[in-house]
């Protein structure tokens, strides 16, 4: 499969044989058998060309690798733990490639999520009387324990500590 993926075009047994023979001695029938087996398994399709066939990969190497990873992940009894272990095995370059891939899948930065809809119950007449967090924020106090409440009044607790939250 490596040779078929490398050329990214339909190849003959003879082409693969000649390429492999640069590295080691191998028989024509061995290459023909392997390509036939790959065809039987559905990894390559073939088209007759005279008395021979041209073989072409059904999917890309990246798609094949993704399918292998997905299969391994879904067979785990604890997929989250499997992913954490997998990520722990990655090099710095692989982790950066993963970050790039996640950015590509997510697309451009999305706008912030819309605020939660107002509760169905009517609001109290004096919201600060029943909401000490709102009173503290109006008074300039930053003793709010719930970051969501503090975010609602326009402050970012992560930014206050010098972190960006990313």
């Amino acid at each position: 499969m490596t040779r078929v993926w490398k050329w990214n075009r339909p190849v003959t047994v003879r082409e693969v044989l000649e390429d492999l023979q640069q590295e080691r001695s191998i028989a024509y029938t061995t290459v023909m058998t392997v390509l036939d087996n790959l065809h039987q398994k559905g990894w390559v399709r073939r088209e007759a060309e005279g008395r021979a066939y041209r073989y072409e990969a059904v999917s890309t190497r990246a798609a094949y690798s993704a399918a292998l990873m997905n299969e391994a992940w879904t067979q785990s009894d604890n997929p989250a733990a499997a992913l954490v272990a997998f990520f722990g095995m990655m090099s710095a370059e692989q982790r950066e490639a993963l970050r790039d891939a996640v950015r590509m899948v997510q697309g451009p930065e999305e706008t912030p999520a819309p605020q939660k809809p107002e509760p169905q119950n009517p609001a109290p007449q004096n919201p600060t009387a029943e909401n000490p967090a709102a009173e503290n924020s109006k008074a300039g106090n930053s003793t709010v324990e719930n970051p969501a409440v503090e975010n609602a009044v326009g402050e970012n607790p992560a930014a206050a500590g010098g972190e960006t939250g990313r």
Side-chain angles (χ1 to χ4, degrees), residues 4-5 7-16 28 31-40 43-48 52-58:
V4 176
W5 282 322
W7 288 318
N8 197 27
R9 63 171 175 79
V11 297
T12 63
V13 172
R14 176 76 51 204
E15 289 172 319
V16 175
Y28 181 93
V31 177
M32 183 175 63
T33 300
V34 169
L35 285 170
D36 185 60
N37 287 342
L38 291 171
H39 176 257
Q40 298 292 330
W43 291 31
V44 295
R45 63 180 145 261
R46 67 183 180 192
E47 217 174 284
Y53 288 107
R54 282 208 173 265
Y55 294 87
E56 183 177 20
V58 170

Side-chain angles (χ1 to χ4, degrees), residues 1 8 13 17 22-23 28 30 36 42-43 45-46 52 56 71 78 106 110 113 116 125 137 145 150 155 159 161 164:
M1 278 308 300
N8 197 27
V13 172
L17 172 71
Q22 293 176 13
E23 298 171 13
Y28 181 93
T30 301
D36 185 60
W43 291 31
R45 63 180 145 261
R46 67 183 180 192
E56 183 177 20
E71 181 180 343
N78 187 342
Q106 288 178 339
E110 296 178 12
K116 290 183 181 178
Q125 295 298 327
S137 67
E145 292 183 25
E150 197 158 337
E155 297 177 14
T164 62

Side-chain angles (χ1 to χ4, degrees), residues 112-125:
Q115 296 292 328
K116 290 183 181 178
E118 293 296 323
Q120 297 299 323
N121 298 336
Q125 295 298 327

